[in-house]
Amino acid sequence: MIEIKNLSAAYGGSTVLSGCSLTVPDGACAALMGPSGCGKTTLLRAAAGLVKPQDGSINVPGRVSFVFQEPRLFPWLTAVQNVAAVLSGRVCDNMDAALEYLRRAGLGGASDKYPAELSGGMQQRVSLCRALAYGGDALLLDEPFRGLDDNLRHNIAALILERARGRSILMSTHDGYEADLLGASVYEYHDKRFVPRSTKNCRS
Amino acid sequence: MRLLRAAGKNLTVLLFWLLVWELLALRAGSALLLPAPWSVAARTLELTGSAQFWQITALSLARILCGVAAGVALGTLTAALTARFAAARALLSPLLTMIKSTPVASFIILALIWMGRDTVPGFIAFLMVLPMVWTSVSAGIEQTDAQLLETARVFRFTRLKTCRLVYIPSCAPYFISACRAALGLGWKAGIAAEILTVPQSSIGRMLYESKLYLETTDLFAWTLVVILCSLVIEKVLMTAVGRIGRKHARGSAR
């Protein structure tokens, strides 16, 4: 379960989140929506422990897996090695398990390619495979479907739902359709907080 | 075809300079002032026929390369230490900068006072290489992609894994270019130290004696040996580390 209470956090020196509370139970998915720079990524980074909040508390028990906005693959490792790298033990011992994830993401044929030899969309999928392979108790996805066409978005959503079953998922997106693909409850940015879509509608 | 053309071009350039050398030697008119290229080549070949030549060359190589290797190892270790600990950085940075700025001849004279003449060339090579490798590897560590380090943190890489999968590949190009430069510098500084300290069985001693007895052809022949050794060790190093370099080049191809 991801539990965020009265969170205040800054981005680039200015406070973007204030008094933000959010709970994502185990097995549920929540999608953060809002204009660029509103604090979606800041909230995800805070949940991952990468940003120190100004105030409030974040409770994410166990390990956290993260898909960054940028693929952030290790350029000197092949696609399959990038996925295998996050599994415990030696990279070479995890190749089969890693390859399975890539196959499911339609990247079986590109497993031995280096990130520089892959397109942006392919890199994004490798990054997703890496996060899914890592497991963890919570999955944080920062615009995970960026650069993917409709067909791929469907396949990847199915893979996420299958592999992240039982875990809490918190994602950021600009597209309500992407939230629907993962069956996510949508939280919209309003007055430095993310509030459930219906709540905001009631207030306004 | 392209290889052949490149080889032909190189050969032409070589022949041109040999011709210039030959003409200058003819103009000088004395082997004492400037020996002809063919006589230097003949003398070099003659030298390679003796067992003593190989013993001298091997001893000089071993002496100096040990110093270079120690400099590379300690330079890398020091870079890791100064990157990790501010206290180490504050303590060691001025010392290494001072070593880098001190003329090599001063160190050679000092080293002659401190240690045996057989040890000086290796020590000098070590002193020349240490700050150079330290500077390069430190730059590599500093330039390591912060996003990749953050990724390693998120996926809870151990320190060892972060080092193996992030820092080492990231620093590899810096390390390789440092090794390449260090080998050249260390080898030349080591030979210079040998000339001033004249250890038994050393290329430096042969160069010194050639100068002493005005055997200019020998001086050129031994200099040629120094150059050839430099080329061979660089080639060996580049072959050994080529795999890492290629891997990195592939990784950053786009």
Side-chain angles (χ1 to χ4, degrees), chain B residues 5-34:
Chain B
R5 204 175 296 159
K9 195 176 156 192
N10 289 340
L11 196 69
T12 314
V13 172
L14 182 69
L15 284 174
F16 169 78
W17 286 113
L18 284 175
L19 187 71
V20 171
W21 181 0
E22 176 70 35
L23 288 173
L24 285 172
L26 275 174
R27 184 156 172 76
S30 158
L32 196 69
L33 283 176
L34 183 64

Side-chain angles (χ1 to χ4, degrees), chain A residues 3-180:
Chain A
E3 206 172 10
I4 294 162
K5 280 185 189 162
N6 289 319
L7 180 81
S8 295
Y11 173 72
S14 60
T15 302
V16 284
L17 298 171
S18 177
C20 180
S21 296
L22 186 76
T23 302
V24 189
D26 289 338
C29 177
L32 308 172
M33 289 184 70
S36 295
C38 74
K40 302 188 290 292
T41 300
T42 304
L43 179 57
L44 288 172
R45 288 173 62 79
L50 299 173
V51 166
K52 205 168 175 240
Q54 292 172 318
D55 200 10
S57 70
I58 300 158
N59 187 20
V60 187
R63 297 188 307 161
V64 172
S65 197
F66 205 123
V67 175
F68 295 95
Q69 238 175 59
E70 322 81 25
R72 295 198 189 184
L73 302 177
F74 300 111
W76 35 81
L77 298 183
T78 61
V80 69
Q81 286 170 337
N82 260 287
V83 178
V86 300
L87 298 169
S88 57
R90 295 190 312 167
V91 173
C92 55
D93 294 335
N94 298 322
M95 299 292 259
D96 287 342
L99 189 60
E100 185 51 34
Y101 279 96
L102 290 177
R103 280 206 192 104
R104 287 293 312 275
L107 289 168
S111 62
D112 288 332
K113 291 199 184 306
Y114 286 89
E117 299 168 318
L118 302 173
S119 70
M122 287 163 107
Q123 289 183 24
Q124 186 67 7
R125 277 185 280 160
V126 176
S127 169
L128 258 157
C129 288
R130 176 171 70 179
L132 291 174
Y134 178 69
D137 304 284
L139 183 58
L140 305 172
L141 311 168
D142 198 356
E143 298 188 29
F145 300 107
R146 211 178 188 190
L148 305 184
D149 62 31
D150 267 0
N151 196 24
L152 278 172
R153 284 199 290 185
H154 270 103
N155 292 345
I156 293 298
L159 184 63
I160 294 172
L161 289 173
E162 180 196 314
R163 298 288 167 158
R165 190 169 292 150
R167 297 187 227 163
S168 314
I169 303 175
L170 184 58
M171 70 182 286
S172 76
T173 181
H174 285 284
D175 189 345
Y177 174 67
E178 290 177 353
D180 290 344

Side-chain angles (χ1 to χ4, degrees), chain A residues 45 72 75-76 85 87 116 118, chain B residues 150-151 153 161 165 169 251 254:
Chain A
R45 288 173 62 79
R72 295 198 189 184
W76 35 81
L87 298 169
L118 302 173
Chain B
E150 194 179 69
T151 307
R153 211 174 115 204
K161 200 170 186 177
L165 294 183
R254 211 183 270 184

Side-chain angles (χ1 to χ4, degrees), chain B residues 61 64-65 68-69 72 125 129 132-133 176-190 229-238:
Chain B
L61 273 171
I64 296 167
L65 291 187
V68 171
V72 168
V129 166
M132 179 183 263
V133 172
I176 292 168
S177 71
C179 282
R180 205 173 174 167
L183 255 184
L185 180 79
W187 175 239
K188 277 183 282 185
C229 283
S230 179
L231 289 176
V232 168
I233 49 182
E234 190 185 320
K235 187 81 188 158
V236 169
L237 175 86
M238 284 303 108

